[in-house]
Structures are given as structure tokens and as C-alpha cells.
Amino acid sequence: MDYSRFFTTALDRLRDERRYRVFADLERIAGRFPHTTWHSPQGPRDIIVWCSNDYLGMGQHPKVIGAMVETATRMGAGAGGTRNISGTNHPLVELERELAELHGKESALLFTSGYVSNETGIATIAKLIPDCLILSDAYNHNSMIEGIRRSGCDKQIFRHNDLVHLEELLKAAGDRPKLIAFESIYSMDADVAPIGAICDLAKKYGAMTYLDEVHAVGMYGPHGAGVAERDGVMNSVDVIEGTLGKAFGCFGGYISASADLCDAVRSYAPGFIFTTALPPAICAAAAASIRHLKSSQWERDRHQDRVARAKAVLTAAGLPVMPSDTHIIPIAVGDPEKCKAASDLLLTEHGIYIQPINFPTVPKGTERLRVTPSPYHDDHLIDALAEALVDVWEKLGLPLRRAMAAE
Ligand code: PLP
């Protein structure tokens, strides 16, 4: 049997559908973010990254790097196995305390990524609730969808951020237990959930709430706990899930909730029990990042300032900037080949890296570039981005708003 042909055929299918993904070979330069070395086919080249989810540049912060190096030097590189087999390293215990405090919850539980925390967290929580019905926002991330699927529970999908539809489904569900799963910031459309109103509905109809704050932690709220903190509704959410891999600049994921809920997930979740714990140096670095962002407002203020300027400059340049209430700036392309070509031209001709966002990450016909400014993208970099995008748009025959207005 020629097994390799199955894989070749699968890859050909992706290429035919223009869905084959190519990743740039990048080397981040600590202290010079967003400057990065691209290992191009012609050799190393200095470029600017405009699509990192290290939103605040905390991955290069001296306190974060310092904590990581110091802890690795004292405690070594790995965690030594699962927590069930090898015990828990002390920096991990401290990090869980830090996270519980950040979200004003009794407890927190760490996983090896945000993906795993959603997948195994939602599946376990819902399985432990007899006859649970999960109500899931239509735009929820794949990790939540997989968690819901693995729970084996009944599910219903409510239209994205649609309170009327959610209420209809809650009402129709009657007295059975219900879990509402949603995100605070939807990272491809850059819009925000009405968290308070969803929690009010949950209370009215006796449902539990599970909120993914992956694209908000570190960046919103006076202590960086997320949009629920900013909106003053953190206490109304039963489970807050987050990542340490984006604005906190490190790696790992977590849930924070009541002590019993976290203890039950700790005791039942296969994605927690059967995998090696986060290494001590990662935990110490993440804790340093969280502590810094709890008290420092500079990164959040400067981030919002850069985002506002980038939105204004790109919009004034006539680019099809999609509406965004957040720090994420999607620019509509609407064609997978042109989206990939735009990304390639930006990189090769302008030294700017923005990964194309195509199906299945977004629906077909809504392909886009997704720009994420950081506190370190200065005026000069923003102006250079606008010029480069206009040049690429013209080369590819993509519509610019000022050209459309002049017609
Ligand atoms: N939740 C959402 C909404 C995400 O966008 C992502 C990843 O991009 C995750 C969870 C997974 O988080 P992590 O990257 O830490 O695995």
C-alpha cells in the first residue's frame, strides 16, 4: 500500500482550494520588537512584524526575560512530567494564585495552552453537569467548539452577539442546566460581546457562563484582567478562560473560577491530568508579566494610542479597514489568492509581515489582512505601513475607497 499518496492528495487538495499555508521563517529580536529577522530564501533580512499577538510586546520585557532566565538557572528547563506523577513546581502554584487574584476568583487552573484549557475545560465542566445544554456563540473559536463536541452534551448555537436569539434559546430550554460559552473579543472580526447583558440573561434563566478572554487579558481593565473587568462585570462570570501566550508574552492557558469547579476540572480533565505541566521558568515569566501589567498602565495606554493612529492613517489612505471596537484592525480583501499575494508583496517588496487570513479561519469571500499594532509601532512605521498597503492594493487592482469616491 502506498500510504504517502494519501498525504500528497490531501496536500494537493489544499493547494487546489488555495488553502495551503506557508509560514515565514522569523527570528524575533528581543529589545527591538517589532523589528524581526526574516530568514528569506535569499538570506536574512530585517523586517517589521505587523501581525503578532504578543500585543503589548511583553515577550521582550526585561522583567519577563529576567524572571525566565533566573528561574531556569535555578530550577532547570523542564517541569519533569505531569503534576499527577511529578508534583507541582512552586512557580506554577504562585502563578495560579496570581491568576485567581487577577480575575477576583477563588481559584485558577493552568493548562499547556489556551486551546487546551478550552478544549478540556469546557468538555469537563459540561460533562460534570447532568443533562447540560451548551449555548454557544456562532463565532466561537475552534478550541471552544472542540470542547463542546467532546463534552457529548446537547448544544445550540446562538447568532453572534445576538441577545434576542440567546434569550429565545434560554427560554425554550426550560429548567434544565445550561452553560453559555462565549468570547469577550472576537479576534477575526474585532468586535466585543455584551458580557454584562449575557450574564443578566444567564441569571434570569439560571444558566452558567464560560467566557474566553484570550484576546483581552493584559490589555483591558484597570489591572489587565480583560473586558469583563473593564465593564465591571467580572464577578458575574462563572468561568473566565485566558492565555499567557498573547498579551502576557509567554505561553500557557488557564481557567479561573470557584475553588470547587477548578478542583473538579483538575481531578477529571484528561487534557490536564495526562500531560506535562508548564515549566517553572515559563510560569515565573508569566507571573512577572501579569504582575507588571496589573500596576503599569503605560503599555495599555500606548497600545490604544497606536491602534487609534493606525486606524486613522489606514482609513485616510482609502484602505478598506473593517469596523473594529478593539485593538485588532482587519483589512478586507475578499479573495484568497489576492490575500496571499498581498501578504507576499508586503514581505518581499516592503519588508512588512502580515499573515493572510483565509478560509477556514474566516468564511470564504471574507479573506482579510489582520493588523495588530503594539506599543512599539511608532508613527514612522505606521506611515510606512499605509504607503506599502496602498502600493500593494494598486498593484493587485484591489479597490481603494478614495478611488471609489472619485469614480
Ligand atoms: N481562544 C481564542 C479565542 C483564540 O483565538 C485562541 C488562539 O488564537 C485560543 C483560545 C487558544 O489560545 P492559545 O494560543 O494559548 O492556545
PDB file of all heavy atoms in Angstrom, residues 99 102-103 108-118 184 210-218 225-226 239-248 251-256:
ATOM      1  N   LEU A  99      -3.247  34.459  39.062  1.00  0.00           N
ATOM      2  CA  LEU A  99      -4.356  34.483  38.100  1.00  0.00           C
ATOM      3  C   LEU A  99      -5.712  34.545  38.810  1.00  0.00           C
ATOM      4  O   LEU A  99      -6.611  35.263  38.370  1.00  0.00           O
ATOM      5  CB  LEU A  99      -4.292  33.236  37.205  1.00  0.00           C
ATOM      6  CG  LEU A  99      -3.173  33.271  36.161  1.00  0.00           C
ATOM      7  CD1 LEU A  99      -2.930  31.887  35.580  1.00  0.00           C
ATOM      8  CD2 LEU A  99      -3.500  34.266  35.060  1.00  0.00           C
ATOM      9  N   LEU A 102      -6.085  38.036  39.930  1.00  0.00           N
ATOM     10  CA  LEU A 102      -6.334  38.927  38.790  1.00  0.00           C
ATOM     11  C   LEU A 102      -7.814  38.954  38.418  1.00  0.00           C
ATOM     12  O   LEU A 102      -8.378  40.007  38.138  1.00  0.00           O
ATOM     13  CB  LEU A 102      -5.499  38.465  37.577  1.00  0.00           C
ATOM     14  CG  LEU A 102      -5.691  39.237  36.277  1.00  0.00           C
ATOM     15  CD1 LEU A 102      -5.086  40.640  36.380  1.00  0.00           C
ATOM     16  CD2 LEU A 102      -5.056  38.494  35.091  1.00  0.00           C
ATOM     17  N   HIS A 103      -8.447  37.792  38.418  1.00  0.00           N
ATOM     18  CA  HIS A 103      -9.838  37.712  37.974  1.00  0.00           C
ATOM     19  C   HIS A 103     -10.849  37.747  39.134  1.00  0.00           C
ATOM     20  O   HIS A 103     -12.045  37.564  38.904  1.00  0.00           O
ATOM     21  CB  HIS A 103     -10.042  36.436  37.139  1.00  0.00           C
ATOM     22  CG  HIS A 103      -9.308  36.494  35.825  1.00  0.00           C
ATOM     23  ND1 HIS A 103      -9.654  37.372  34.826  1.00  0.00           N
ATOM     24  CD2 HIS A 103      -8.231  35.814  35.360  1.00  0.00           C
ATOM     25  CE1 HIS A 103      -8.828  37.215  33.793  1.00  0.00           C
ATOM     26  NE2 HIS A 103      -7.954  36.279  34.090  1.00  0.00           N
ATOM     27  N   ALA A 108      -7.600  29.217  40.300  1.00  0.00           N
ATOM     28  CA  ALA A 108      -7.269  29.174  38.868  1.00  0.00           C
ATOM     29  C   ALA A 108      -6.554  27.859  38.602  1.00  0.00           C
ATOM     30  O   ALA A 108      -5.970  27.255  39.516  1.00  0.00           O
ATOM     31  CB  ALA A 108      -6.384  30.348  38.480  1.00  0.00           C
ATOM     32  N   LEU A 109      -6.639  27.413  37.354  1.00  0.00           N
ATOM     33  CA  LEU A 109      -6.012  26.140  36.993  1.00  0.00           C
ATOM     34  C   LEU A 109      -5.297  26.318  35.657  1.00  0.00           C
ATOM     35  O   LEU A 109      -5.898  26.793  34.688  1.00  0.00           O
ATOM     36  CB  LEU A 109      -7.096  25.064  36.868  1.00  0.00           C
ATOM     37  CG  LEU A 109      -6.598  23.629  36.705  1.00  0.00           C
ATOM     38  CD1 LEU A 109      -5.920  23.127  37.975  1.00  0.00           C
ATOM     39  CD2 LEU A 109      -7.770  22.699  36.340  1.00  0.00           C
ATOM     40  N   LEU A 110      -4.015  25.925  35.635  1.00  0.00           N
ATOM     41  CA  LEU A 110      -3.202  26.131  34.424  1.00  0.00           C
ATOM     42  C   LEU A 110      -3.230  24.926  33.498  1.00  0.00           C
ATOM     43  O   LEU A 110      -3.250  23.779  33.945  1.00  0.00           O
ATOM     44  CB  LEU A 110      -1.750  26.349  34.833  1.00  0.00           C
ATOM     45  CG  LEU A 110      -1.344  27.785  35.116  1.00  0.00           C
ATOM     46  CD1 LEU A 110       0.041  27.798  35.721  1.00  0.00           C
ATOM     47  CD2 LEU A 110      -1.368  28.617  33.836  1.00  0.00           C
ATOM     48  N   PHE A 111      -3.154  25.207  32.204  1.00  0.00           N
ATOM     49  CA  PHE A 111      -3.058  24.180  31.159  1.00  0.00           C
ATOM     50  C   PHE A 111      -1.886  24.555  30.256  1.00  0.00           C
ATOM     51  O   PHE A 111      -1.349  25.659  30.351  1.00  0.00           O
ATOM     52  CB  PHE A 111      -4.347  24.128  30.338  1.00  0.00           C
ATOM     53  CG  PHE A 111      -5.568  23.850  31.161  1.00  0.00           C
ATOM     54  CD1 PHE A 111      -6.245  24.877  31.804  1.00  0.00           C
ATOM     55  CD2 PHE A 111      -6.037  22.555  31.313  1.00  0.00           C
ATOM     56  CE1 PHE A 111      -7.366  24.621  32.576  1.00  0.00           C
ATOM     57  CE2 PHE A 111      -7.159  22.285  32.077  1.00  0.00           C
ATOM     58  CZ  PHE A 111      -7.817  23.316  32.710  1.00  0.00           C
ATOM     59  N   THR A 112      -1.574  23.643  29.324  1.00  0.00           N
ATOM     60  CA  THR A 112      -0.412  23.921  28.484  1.00  0.00           C
ATOM     61  C   THR A 112      -0.682  24.915  27.357  1.00  0.00           C
ATOM     62  O   THR A 112       0.253  25.326  26.680  1.00  0.00           O
ATOM     63  CB  THR A 112       0.169  22.611  27.910  1.00  0.00           C
ATOM     64  OG1 THR A 112      -0.905  21.766  27.541  1.00  0.00           O
ATOM     65  CG2 THR A 112       1.027  21.910  28.920  1.00  0.00           C
ATOM     66  N   SER A 113      -1.925  25.282  27.145  1.00  0.00           N
ATOM     67  CA  SER A 113      -2.221  26.370  26.198  1.00  0.00           C
ATOM     68  C   SER A 113      -3.655  26.833  26.418  1.00  0.00           C
ATOM     69  O   SER A 113      -4.451  26.152  27.087  1.00  0.00           O
ATOM     70  CB  SER A 113      -2.054  25.902  24.743  1.00  0.00           C
ATOM     71  OG  SER A 113      -3.089  25.002  24.402  1.00  0.00           O
ATOM     72  N   GLY A 114      -3.981  27.966  25.811  1.00  0.00           N
ATOM     73  CA  GLY A 114      -5.368  28.422  25.832  1.00  0.00           C
ATOM     74  C   GLY A 114      -6.261  27.425  25.108  1.00  0.00           C
ATOM     75  O   GLY A 114      -7.408  27.201  25.501  1.00  0.00           O
ATOM     76  N   TYR A 115      -5.725  26.842  24.046  1.00  0.00           N
ATOM     77  CA  TYR A 115      -6.505  25.861  23.273  1.00  0.00           C
ATOM     78  C   TYR A 115      -6.912  24.696  24.178  1.00  0.00           C
ATOM     79  O   TYR A 115      -8.085  24.317  24.245  1.00  0.00           O
ATOM     80  CB  TYR A 115      -5.679  25.347  22.088  1.00  0.00           C
ATOM     81  CG  TYR A 115      -6.523  24.570  21.099  1.00  0.00           C
ATOM     82  CD1 TYR A 115      -6.995  25.168  19.939  1.00  0.00           C
ATOM     83  CD2 TYR A 115      -6.879  23.249  21.354  1.00  0.00           C
ATOM     84  CE1 TYR A 115      -7.797  24.476  19.050  1.00  0.00           C
ATOM     85  CE2 TYR A 115      -7.680  22.545  20.467  1.00  0.00           C
ATOM     86  CZ  TYR A 115      -8.134  23.164  19.317  1.00  0.00           C
ATOM     87  OH  TYR A 115      -8.935  22.472  18.443  1.00  0.00           O
ATOM     88  N   VAL A 116      -5.930  24.163  24.895  1.00  0.00           N
ATOM     89  CA  VAL A 116      -6.194  23.003  25.764  1.00  0.00           C
ATOM     90  C   VAL A 116      -7.151  23.395  26.893  1.00  0.00           C
ATOM     91  O   VAL A 116      -8.038  22.618  27.265  1.00  0.00           O
ATOM     92  CB  VAL A 116      -4.874  22.426  26.321  1.00  0.00           C
ATOM     93  CG1 VAL A 116      -5.140  21.333  27.334  1.00  0.00           C
ATOM     94  CG2 VAL A 116      -4.006  21.900  25.190  1.00  0.00           C
ATOM     95  N   SER A 117      -6.988  24.609  27.425  1.00  0.00           N
ATOM     96  CA  SER A 117      -7.870  24.986  28.543  1.00  0.00           C
ATOM     97  C   SER A 117      -9.322  25.024  28.072  1.00  0.00           C
ATOM     98  O   SER A 117     -10.222  24.599  28.799  1.00  0.00           O
ATOM     99  CB  SER A 117      -7.450  26.309  29.182  1.00  0.00           C
ATOM    100  OG  SER A 117      -7.353  27.330  28.235  1.00  0.00           O
ATOM    101  N   ASN A 118      -9.570  25.509  26.845  1.00  0.00           N
ATOM    102  CA  ASN A 118     -10.949  25.499  26.329  1.00  0.00           C
ATOM    103  C   ASN A 118     -11.414  24.083  26.017  1.00  0.00           C
ATOM    104  O   ASN A 118     -12.517  23.680  26.387  1.00  0.00           O
ATOM    105  CB  ASN A 118     -11.038  26.335  25.040  1.00  0.00           C
ATOM    106  CG  ASN A 118     -11.289  27.806  25.333  1.00  0.00           C
ATOM    107  OD1 ASN A 118     -11.801  28.163  26.377  1.00  0.00           O
ATOM    108  ND2 ASN A 118     -10.921  28.652  24.390  1.00  0.00           N
ATOM    109  N   SER A 184     -14.972  37.341  24.835  1.00  0.00           N
ATOM    110  CA  SER A 184     -15.146  38.786  25.055  1.00  0.00           C
ATOM    111  C   SER A 184     -14.793  39.540  23.779  1.00  0.00           C
ATOM    112  O   SER A 184     -15.568  40.354  23.294  1.00  0.00           O
ATOM    113  CB  SER A 184     -14.303  39.273  26.232  1.00  0.00           C
ATOM    114  OG  SER A 184     -12.928  39.030  26.023  1.00  0.00           O
ATOM    115  N   TYR A 210     -19.380  30.817  30.681  1.00  0.00           N
ATOM    116  CA  TYR A 210     -17.967  30.489  30.426  1.00  0.00           C
ATOM    117  C   TYR A 210     -17.472  31.501  29.400  1.00  0.00           C
ATOM    118  O   TYR A 210     -17.947  31.540  28.257  1.00  0.00           O
ATOM    119  CB  TYR A 210     -17.856  29.063  29.883  1.00  0.00           C
ATOM    120  CG  TYR A 210     -16.432  28.603  29.601  1.00  0.00           C
ATOM    121  CD1 TYR A 210     -15.784  27.714  30.452  1.00  0.00           C
ATOM    122  CD2 TYR A 210     -15.739  29.057  28.476  1.00  0.00           C
ATOM    123  CE1 TYR A 210     -14.485  27.291  30.191  1.00  0.00           C
ATOM    124  CE2 TYR A 210     -14.439  28.644  28.217  1.00  0.00           C
ATOM    125  CZ  TYR A 210     -13.829  27.753  29.075  1.00  0.00           C
ATOM    126  OH  TYR A 210     -12.530  27.336  28.809  1.00  0.00           O
ATOM    127  N   LEU A 211     -16.510  32.340  29.798  1.00  0.00           N
ATOM    128  CA  LEU A 211     -16.060  33.451  28.940  1.00  0.00           C
ATOM    129  C   LEU A 211     -14.594  33.295  28.556  1.00  0.00           C
ATOM    130  O   LEU A 211     -13.722  33.196  29.429  1.00  0.00           O
ATOM    131  CB  LEU A 211     -16.256  34.781  29.693  1.00  0.00           C
ATOM    132  CG  LEU A 211     -15.731  36.033  29.008  1.00  0.00           C
ATOM    133  CD1 LEU A 211     -16.469  36.311  27.699  1.00  0.00           C
ATOM    134  CD2 LEU A 211     -15.857  37.239  29.937  1.00  0.00           C
ATOM    135  N   ASP A 212     -14.309  33.300  27.260  1.00  0.00           N
ATOM    136  CA  ASP A 212     -12.939  33.269  26.743  1.00  0.00           C
ATOM    137  C   ASP A 212     -12.450  34.711  26.609  1.00  0.00           C
ATOM    138  O   ASP A 212     -13.000  35.483  25.818  1.00  0.00           O
ATOM    139  CB  ASP A 212     -12.961  32.555  25.378  1.00  0.00           C
ATOM    140  CG  ASP A 212     -11.615  32.542  24.668  1.00  0.00           C
ATOM    141  OD1 ASP A 212     -10.960  33.592  24.645  1.00  0.00           O
ATOM    142  OD2 ASP A 212     -11.241  31.504  24.095  1.00  0.00           O
ATOM    143  N   GLU A 213     -11.430  35.065  27.407  1.00  0.00           N
ATOM    144  CA  GLU A 213     -10.867  36.427  27.362  1.00  0.00           C
ATOM    145  C   GLU A 213      -9.463  36.413  26.741  1.00  0.00           C
ATOM    146  O   GLU A 213      -8.645  37.300  27.013  1.00  0.00           O
ATOM    147  CB  GLU A 213     -10.807  37.007  28.793  1.00  0.00           C
ATOM    148  CG  GLU A 213     -12.153  37.377  29.382  1.00  0.00           C
ATOM    149  CD  GLU A 213     -12.412  38.886  29.394  1.00  0.00           C
ATOM    150  OE1 GLU A 213     -11.977  39.580  28.459  1.00  0.00           O
ATOM    151  OE2 GLU A 213     -13.054  39.344  30.358  1.00  0.00           O
ATOM    152  N   VAL A 214      -9.212  35.414  25.891  1.00  0.00           N
ATOM    153  CA  VAL A 214      -7.871  35.229  25.332  1.00  0.00           C
ATOM    154  C   VAL A 214      -7.326  36.496  24.663  1.00  0.00           C
ATOM    155  O   VAL A 214      -6.154  36.840  24.825  1.00  0.00           O
ATOM    156  CB  VAL A 214      -7.889  34.024  24.354  1.00  0.00           C
ATOM    157  CG1 VAL A 214      -6.742  34.081  23.365  1.00  0.00           C
ATOM    158  CG2 VAL A 214      -7.845  32.715  25.152  1.00  0.00           C
ATOM    159  N   HIS A 215      -8.178  37.203  23.916  1.00  0.00           N
ATOM    160  CA  HIS A 215      -7.698  38.387  23.192  1.00  0.00           C
ATOM    161  C   HIS A 215      -7.891  39.673  23.986  1.00  0.00           C
ATOM    162  O   HIS A 215      -7.833  40.766  23.417  1.00  0.00           O
ATOM    163  CB  HIS A 215      -8.375  38.485  21.821  1.00  0.00           C
ATOM    164  CG  HIS A 215      -7.932  37.379  20.918  1.00  0.00           C
ATOM    165  ND1 HIS A 215      -6.745  37.417  20.219  1.00  0.00           N
ATOM    166  CD2 HIS A 215      -8.474  36.173  20.661  1.00  0.00           C
ATOM    167  CE1 HIS A 215      -6.598  36.295  19.541  1.00  0.00           C
ATOM    168  NE2 HIS A 215      -7.629  35.512  19.803  1.00  0.00           N
ATOM    169  N   ALA A 216      -8.127  39.550  25.289  1.00  0.00           N
ATOM    170  CA  ALA A 216      -8.365  40.747  26.101  1.00  0.00           C
ATOM    171  C   ALA A 216      -7.491  40.819  27.346  1.00  0.00           C
ATOM    172  O   ALA A 216      -7.185  41.916  27.818  1.00  0.00           O
ATOM    173  CB  ALA A 216      -9.834  40.787  26.516  1.00  0.00           C
ATOM    174  N   VAL A 217      -7.056  39.653  27.862  1.00  0.00           N
ATOM    175  CA  VAL A 217      -6.299  39.706  29.117  1.00  0.00           C
ATOM    176  C   VAL A 217      -4.979  40.459  28.901  1.00  0.00           C
ATOM    177  O   VAL A 217      -4.335  40.334  27.867  1.00  0.00           O
ATOM    178  CB  VAL A 217      -6.027  38.307  29.733  1.00  0.00           C
ATOM    179  CG1 VAL A 217      -7.285  37.742  30.345  1.00  0.00           C
ATOM    180  CG2 VAL A 217      -5.441  37.340  28.716  1.00  0.00           C
ATOM    181  N   GLY A 218      -4.637  41.259  29.901  1.00  0.00           N
ATOM    182  CA  GLY A 218      -3.441  42.097  29.829  1.00  0.00           C
ATOM    183  C   GLY A 218      -3.755  43.477  29.266  1.00  0.00           C
ATOM    184  O   GLY A 218      -3.141  44.467  29.650  1.00  0.00           O
ATOM    185  N   ALA A 225      -7.244  42.571  33.560  1.00  0.00           N
ATOM    186  CA  ALA A 225      -7.954  41.284  33.707  1.00  0.00           C
ATOM    187  C   ALA A 225      -8.882  41.016  32.534  1.00  0.00           C
ATOM    188  O   ALA A 225      -9.432  39.919  32.432  1.00  0.00           O
ATOM    189  CB  ALA A 225      -8.729  41.250  35.024  1.00  0.00           C
ATOM    190  N   GLY A 226      -9.102  42.004  31.655  1.00  0.00           N
ATOM    191  CA  GLY A 226      -9.908  41.757  30.462  1.00  0.00           C
ATOM    192  C   GLY A 226     -11.117  42.677  30.351  1.00  0.00           C
ATOM    193  O   GLY A 226     -11.278  43.620  31.140  1.00  0.00           O
ATOM    194  N   VAL A 239     -16.916  31.328  34.821  1.00  0.00           N
ATOM    195  CA  VAL A 239     -15.579  30.824  34.461  1.00  0.00           C
ATOM    196  C   VAL A 239     -14.946  31.800  33.475  1.00  0.00           C
ATOM    197  O   VAL A 239     -15.536  32.103  32.435  1.00  0.00           O
ATOM    198  CB  VAL A 239     -15.653  29.425  33.789  1.00  0.00           C
ATOM    199  CG1 VAL A 239     -14.248  28.873  33.560  1.00  0.00           C
ATOM    200  CG2 VAL A 239     -16.497  28.461  34.599  1.00  0.00           C
ATOM    201  N   ILE A 240     -13.755  32.290  33.806  1.00  0.00           N
ATOM    202  CA  ILE A 240     -13.011  33.138  32.866  1.00  0.00           C
ATOM    203  C   ILE A 240     -11.814  32.327  32.399  1.00  0.00           C
ATOM    204  O   ILE A 240     -11.048  31.782  33.208  1.00  0.00           O
ATOM    205  CB  ILE A 240     -12.564  34.460  33.518  1.00  0.00           C
ATOM    206  CG1 ILE A 240     -13.789  35.299  33.875  1.00  0.00           C
ATOM    207  CG2 ILE A 240     -11.632  35.237  32.572  1.00  0.00           C
ATOM    208  CD1 ILE A 240     -13.485  36.615  34.558  1.00  0.00           C
ATOM    209  N   GLU A 241     -11.673  32.247  31.058  1.00  0.00           N
ATOM    210  CA  GLU A 241     -10.553  31.492  30.476  1.00  0.00           C
ATOM    211  C   GLU A 241      -9.631  32.481  29.792  1.00  0.00           C
ATOM    212  O   GLU A 241     -10.081  33.486  29.227  1.00  0.00           O
ATOM    213  CB  GLU A 241     -11.117  30.477  29.475  1.00  0.00           C
ATOM    214  CG  GLU A 241     -10.089  29.572  28.830  1.00  0.00           C
ATOM    215  CD  GLU A 241      -9.490  30.121  27.562  1.00  0.00           C
ATOM    216  OE1 GLU A 241     -10.066  31.058  26.977  1.00  0.00           O
ATOM    217  OE2 GLU A 241      -8.430  29.632  27.146  1.00  0.00           O
ATOM    218  N   GLY A 242      -8.324  32.213  29.858  1.00  0.00           N
ATOM    219  CA  GLY A 242      -7.381  33.133  29.220  1.00  0.00           C
ATOM    220  C   GLY A 242      -6.116  32.430  28.760  1.00  0.00           C
ATOM    221  O   GLY A 242      -5.945  31.222  28.970  1.00  0.00           O
ATOM    222  N   THR A 243      -5.263  33.199  28.104  1.00  0.00           N
ATOM    223  CA  THR A 243      -3.979  32.661  27.646  1.00  0.00           C
ATOM    224  C   THR A 243      -2.836  33.471  28.233  1.00  0.00           C
ATOM    225  O   THR A 243      -3.007  34.654  28.556  1.00  0.00           O
ATOM    226  CB  THR A 243      -3.888  32.696  26.100  1.00  0.00           C
ATOM    227  OG1 THR A 243      -2.680  32.049  25.697  1.00  0.00           O
ATOM    228  CG2 THR A 243      -3.866  34.111  25.554  1.00  0.00           C
ATOM    229  N   LEU A 244      -1.702  32.836  28.340  1.00  0.00           N
ATOM    230  CA  LEU A 244      -0.483  33.541  28.739  1.00  0.00           C
ATOM    231  C   LEU A 244       0.386  33.791  27.512  1.00  0.00           C
ATOM    232  O   LEU A 244       1.472  34.354  27.613  1.00  0.00           O
ATOM    233  CB  LEU A 244       0.288  32.693  29.764  1.00  0.00           C
ATOM    234  CG  LEU A 244      -0.551  32.311  30.989  1.00  0.00           C
ATOM    235  CD1 LEU A 244       0.170  31.268  31.836  1.00  0.00           C
ATOM    236  CD2 LEU A 244      -0.862  33.545  31.817  1.00  0.00           C
ATOM    237  N   GLY A 245      -0.114  33.354  26.336  1.00  0.00           N
ATOM    238  CA  GLY A 245       0.706  33.353  25.125  1.00  0.00           C
ATOM    239  C   GLY A 245       0.524  34.571  24.239  1.00  0.00           C
ATOM    240  O   GLY A 245       1.212  34.694  23.230  1.00  0.00           O
ATOM    241  N   LYS A 246      -0.392  35.472  24.579  1.00  0.00           N
ATOM    242  CA  LYS A 246      -0.600  36.632  23.704  1.00  0.00           C
ATOM    243  C   LYS A 246      -0.119  37.885  24.448  1.00  0.00           C
ATOM    244  O   LYS A 246       1.075  38.110  24.509  1.00  0.00           O
ATOM    245  CB  LYS A 246      -2.049  36.668  23.230  1.00  0.00           C
ATOM    246  CG  LYS A 246      -2.401  35.377  22.429  1.00  0.00           C
ATOM    247  CD  LYS A 246      -3.709  35.439  21.719  1.00  0.00           C
ATOM    248  CE  LYS A 246      -4.201  34.064  21.244  1.00  0.00           C
ATOM    249  NZ  LYS A 246      -3.410  33.486  20.161  1.00  0.00           N
ATOM    250  N   ALA A 247      -1.037  38.678  25.037  1.00  0.00           N
ATOM    251  CA  ALA A 247      -0.568  39.940  25.638  1.00  0.00           C
ATOM    252  C   ALA A 247       0.400  39.722  26.805  1.00  0.00           C
ATOM    253  O   ALA A 247       1.204  40.603  27.100  1.00  0.00           O
ATOM    254  CB  ALA A 247      -1.747  40.778  26.089  1.00  0.00           C
ATOM    255  N   PHE A 248       0.353  38.579  27.461  1.00  0.00           N
ATOM    256  CA  PHE A 248       1.307  38.351  28.557  1.00  0.00           C
ATOM    257  C   PHE A 248       2.673  37.897  28.028  1.00  0.00           C
ATOM    258  O   PHE A 248       3.628  37.756  28.792  1.00  0.00           O
ATOM    259  CB  PHE A 248       0.751  37.354  29.583  1.00  0.00           C
ATOM    260  CG  PHE A 248      -0.414  37.909  30.391  1.00  0.00           C
ATOM    261  CD1 PHE A 248      -1.597  37.203  30.523  1.00  0.00           C
ATOM    262  CD2 PHE A 248      -0.308  39.144  31.010  1.00  0.00           C
ATOM    263  CE1 PHE A 248      -2.669  37.714  31.255  1.00  0.00           C
ATOM    264  CE2 PHE A 248      -1.368  39.672  31.749  1.00  0.00           C
ATOM    265  CZ  PHE A 248      -2.559  38.957  31.864  1.00  0.00           C
ATOM    266  N   PHE A 251       3.497  31.754  27.482  1.00  0.00           N
ATOM    267  CA  PHE A 251       2.943  30.510  26.959  1.00  0.00           C
ATOM    268  C   PHE A 251       2.075  29.850  28.022  1.00  0.00           C
ATOM    269  O   PHE A 251       2.399  29.920  29.203  1.00  0.00           O
ATOM    270  CB  PHE A 251       4.100  29.566  26.590  1.00  0.00           C
ATOM    271  CG  PHE A 251       3.664  28.367  25.799  1.00  0.00           C
ATOM    272  CD1 PHE A 251       3.191  28.507  24.518  1.00  0.00           C
ATOM    273  CD2 PHE A 251       3.706  27.099  26.355  1.00  0.00           C
ATOM    274  CE1 PHE A 251       2.763  27.406  23.780  1.00  0.00           C
ATOM    275  CE2 PHE A 251       3.290  25.992  25.635  1.00  0.00           C
ATOM    276  CZ  PHE A 251       2.822  26.150  24.339  1.00  0.00           C
ATOM    277  N   GLY A 252       0.986  29.198  27.604  1.00  0.00           N
ATOM    278  CA  GLY A 252       0.126  28.501  28.555  1.00  0.00           C
ATOM    279  C   GLY A 252      -1.279  29.078  28.537  1.00  0.00           C
ATOM    280  O   GLY A 252      -1.532  30.136  27.943  1.00  0.00           O
ATOM    281  N   GLY A 253      -2.216  28.363  29.173  1.00  0.00           N
ATOM    282  CA  GLY A 253      -3.595  28.831  29.260  1.00  0.00           C
ATOM    283  C   GLY A 253      -4.162  28.484  30.623  1.00  0.00           C
ATOM    284  O   GLY A 253      -3.542  27.742  31.390  1.00  0.00           O
ATOM    285  N   TYR A 254      -5.359  29.025  30.923  1.00  0.00           N
ATOM    286  CA  TYR A 254      -5.917  28.785  32.259  1.00  0.00           C
ATOM    287  C   TYR A 254      -7.415  29.017  32.292  1.00  0.00           C
ATOM    288  O   TYR A 254      -7.976  29.660  31.399  1.00  0.00           O
ATOM    289  CB  TYR A 254      -5.242  29.710  33.288  1.00  0.00           C
ATOM    290  CG  TYR A 254      -5.485  31.178  33.024  1.00  0.00           C
ATOM    291  CD1 TYR A 254      -6.586  31.847  33.586  1.00  0.00           C
ATOM    292  CD2 TYR A 254      -4.638  31.905  32.196  1.00  0.00           C
ATOM    293  CE1 TYR A 254      -6.815  33.189  33.344  1.00  0.00           C
ATOM    294  CE2 TYR A 254      -4.858  33.253  31.939  1.00  0.00           C
ATOM    295  CZ  TYR A 254      -5.948  33.887  32.514  1.00  0.00           C
ATOM    296  OH  TYR A 254      -6.179  35.219  32.253  1.00  0.00           O
ATOM    297  N   ILE A 255      -8.036  28.479  33.334  1.00  0.00           N
ATOM    298  CA  ILE A 255      -9.382  28.909  33.703  1.00  0.00           C
ATOM    299  C   ILE A 255      -9.302  29.463  35.119  1.00  0.00           C
ATOM    300  O   ILE A 255      -8.435  29.053  35.914  1.00  0.00           O
ATOM    301  CB  ILE A 255     -10.425  27.764  33.641  1.00  0.00           C
ATOM    302  CG1 ILE A 255     -10.020  26.585  34.543  1.00  0.00           C
ATOM    303  CG2 ILE A 255     -10.632  27.294  32.214  1.00  0.00           C
ATOM    304  CD1 ILE A 255     -11.138  25.564  34.771  1.00  0.00           C
ATOM    305  N   SER A 256     -10.188  30.407  35.432  1.00  0.00           N
ATOM    306  CA  SER A 256     -10.297  30.855  36.822  1.00  0.00           C
ATOM    307  C   SER A 256     -11.782  30.840  37.176  1.00  0.00           C
ATOM    308  O   SER A 256     -12.627  31.244  36.357  1.00  0.00           O
ATOM    309  CB  SER A 256      -9.677  32.232  37.020  1.00  0.00           C
ATOM    310  OG  SER A 256     -10.333  33.159  36.214  1.00  0.00           O
TER     311      SER A 256
END
